[in-house]
Amino acid sequence: MAQRADVRVRPSWMLLGPAFVAAIAYVDPGNVAANVSAGAQFGFLLVWVVVVANAMACLVQYLSAKLGLVSGLSLPEAVGGRMRRRTRLVYWLQAELVAMATDLAEVMGGAIALYLLFDLPLLTGGVITGAVSLLLLMVKDRRGQQMFERVITGLLLVIAIGFLTSLFVSPPPVDQVAAGLVPKFAGTESVLLAAAMLGATVMPHAVYLHSGLARDRHGHPDPGPMRRMLLRVTRWDVGVAMVVAGAVNLAMLLVAATNLQGQENTDSIEGAHAAVGGALGPTVALLFAIGLLASGLASSSVGAYAGAMIMQGLLHVSIPMVARRLITLVPALAVLAVGIDASRALVLSQVVLSFGIPFALIPLVRLTSDRALMGDDINHRLTTAFGWIVAALITVLNVVLIYLTVKG
């Protein structure tokens, strides 16, 4: 792909954006449930887990973006190009299953938010969430990726406001927050919850998607000053986006630790919302629900976008984004129609997501360490070492989560 001529005249800040789309995966409804539960059960004990998880996410997302920019390939394309047709099909099937599980969690989150805001039935809320996410995808199709990035970034800011506001209403004690930065546990249950928070940090679809987002936004520049500048901008893009996402996740935990610790029925989003309203008032509860709604809408559309990129990269099949949205929406609406408990459905969706983690992380580290593919922009040995450590850690934690969930 030829280098884009207009990149040279743009200020660097105008090149930011792809990482903000990928960052939506880190503030989806599943994260809301996990972080609020951690704060309500263990107070400030697991603050360090959020920080460590965010650091791992920074590395993984940068490697994904770097792969797309340097190689000119999305991660699905790079993986598919090294597989035989039958292997590609099997690989796509697991990725498709993960995409549907992603959609389930995100549509469910939007449905719960609409229930909290307007007392709508979950199925109705799911249909509305799917319809709005479809409109967001139409923005991408008709107005291009940059406009889609702006819309998603706007929703990310809504999410941030929705969950950060409560910190100003009831600031957490600084000394206890600082104490929570020291890694420690308080019994088996805290270990398991920390494993859940770390293991569910990196979402497979965000890893697949970011490589394509960076490539489509910046092109495939030749080695030299332009590529170095774009890699530098990409580091800033990932850093700023992950700081925003990390701040939101930390706010969720701190709010719960400050106001909900020891309260009952905070293990579900609905219960946490009610507890927040009781502790901080209806305005903060309203902002909490609005943030959750923005999370469901944005993450659902981004998940469908990732699914289309995965299909095109692995199967070389391109279907209209609208059709893709409808296909992955059906299982989520079916679950809502059957009436499966929302919290249980969210847990099960995270288990399926966990299954797909190694299929994204292991090829990512391997490919970005391949000199034949990356040239002089191959990972530094230290970066590769950290990449393998993160991949191994997250994979092991997700295997543990799958075992514990099935056992339980």
Side-chain angles (χ1 to χ4, degrees):
M1 184 180 296
Q3 179 175 301
R4 294 184 177 180
D6 62 338
V7 172
R8 295 182 183 277
V9 298
R10 291 180 178 178
S12 293
W13 64 267
M14 291 186 67
L15 298 172
L16 303 180
F20 287 82
V21 176
I24 288 294
Y26 296 92
V27 290
D28 72 354
N31 290 84
V32 176
N35 291 315
V36 170
S37 179
Q41 290 185 52
F42 296 103
F44 302 93
L45 181 72
L46 300 179
V47 168
W48 67 272
V49 177
V50 176
V51 176
V52 171
N54 204 58
M56 293 194 304
C58 283
L59 175 61
V60 170
Q61 294 305 141
Y62 174 68
L63 290 182
S64 178
K66 176 183 173 182
L67 174 68
L69 198 153
V70 173
S71 71
L73 300 171
S74 68
L75 179 57
E77 289 171 343
V79 171
R82 300 183 175 213
M83 292 180 175
R84 295 181 178 180
R85 178 175 176 80
R86 181 175 298 180
T87 307
R88 283 205 319 268
L89 181 60
V90 174
Y91 192 94
W92 170 76
L93 286 174
Q94 65 81 26
E96 187 69 21
L97 183 62
V98 168
M100 289 184 177
T102 301
D103 221 26
L104 171 61
E106 292 158 353
V107 171
M108 185 74 72
I112 292 173
L114 289 169
Y115 167 75
L116 296 175
L117 287 168
F118 306 110
D119 202 27
L120 292 177
L122 289 180
L123 179 58
T124 303
V127 172
I128 293 174
T129 300
V132 174
S133 65
L134 182 59
L135 292 176
L136 294 177
L137 290 171
M138 291 174 66
V139 169
K140 192 270 176 186
D141 278 351
R142 297 185 178 183
R143 301 292 299 277
Q145 180 177 322
Q146 286 186 253
M147 180 57 70
F148 181 72
E149 289 174 3
R150 292 169 185 165
V151 173
I152 296 299
T153 300
L155 288 172
L156 179 60
L157 292 178
V158 172
I159 297 168
I161 292 170
F163 290 109
L164 289 171
T165 302
S166 52
L167 291 180
F168 297 96
V169 176
S170 179
V174 176
D175 58 333
Q176 294 188 44
V177 176
L181 293 172
V182 180
K184 54 184 177 294
F185 298 102
T188 304
E189 186 63 29
S190 67
V191 176
L192 297 180
L193 189 52
M197 295 167 67
L198 281 171
T201 294
V202 179
M203 295 289 99
H205 69 285
V207 180
Y208 291 122
L209 179 64
H210 202 166
S211 55
L213 288 171
R215 185 270 315 274
D216 293 345
R217 178 68 183 277
H218 302 312
H220 174 37
D222 296 327
M226 180 57 65
R227 180 184 288 184
R228 289 196 296 272
M229 184 274 287
L230 288 173
L231 286 172
R232 184 170 62 252
V233 169
T234 297
R235 286 193 289 271
W236 275 100
D237 192 25
V238 171
V240 174
M242 290 297 106
V243 165
V244 173
V248 172
N249 282 314
L250 186 59
M252 296 173 190
L253 188 147
L254 294 181
V255 169
T258 304
N259 303 285
L260 308 184
Q261 190 174 1
Q263 294 193 32
E264 297 181 355
N265 301 319
T266 56
D267 55 346
S268 68
I269 293 178
E270 300 97 313
H273 173 264
V276 167
L280 300 177
T283 300
V284 174
L286 175 63
L287 291 173
F288 179 98
I290 292 173
L292 178 63
L293 178 60
S295 170
L297 296 177
S299 58
S300 183
S301 61
V302 169
Y305 187 3
M309 185 174 291
I310 292 168
M311 176 179 286
Q312 185 172 1
L314 290 172
L315 300 185
H316 308 297
V317 173
S318 180
I319 64 174
M321 194 73 76
V322 172
R324 169 74 200 182
R325 165 76 286 198
L326 295 175
I327 291 171
T328 55
L329 185 61
V330 169
L333 295 181
V335 169
L336 290 172
V338 171
I340 296 176
D341 178 70
S343 297
R344 181 63 178 169
L346 280 173
V347 170
L348 292 176
S349 71
Q350 296 305 305
V351 172
V352 177
L353 286 173
S354 299
F355 175 77
I357 286 287
F359 293 97
L361 289 189
I362 293 174
L364 175 65
V365 178
R366 176 68 187 87
L367 288 167
T368 52
S369 304
D370 184 350
R371 183 172 294 277
L373 180 66
M374 303 295 289
D376 291 338
D377 293 301
I378 185 176
N379 290 341
H380 188 279
R381 290 183 179 179
L382 191 60
T383 302
T384 298
F386 279 122
W388 283 122
I389 291 171
V390 169
L393 178 62
I394 296 177
T395 298
V396 169
L397 289 173
N398 278 287
V399 170
V400 171
L401 285 176
I402 293 172
Y403 170 74
L404 293 174
T405 303
V406 172
K407 182 181 177 180

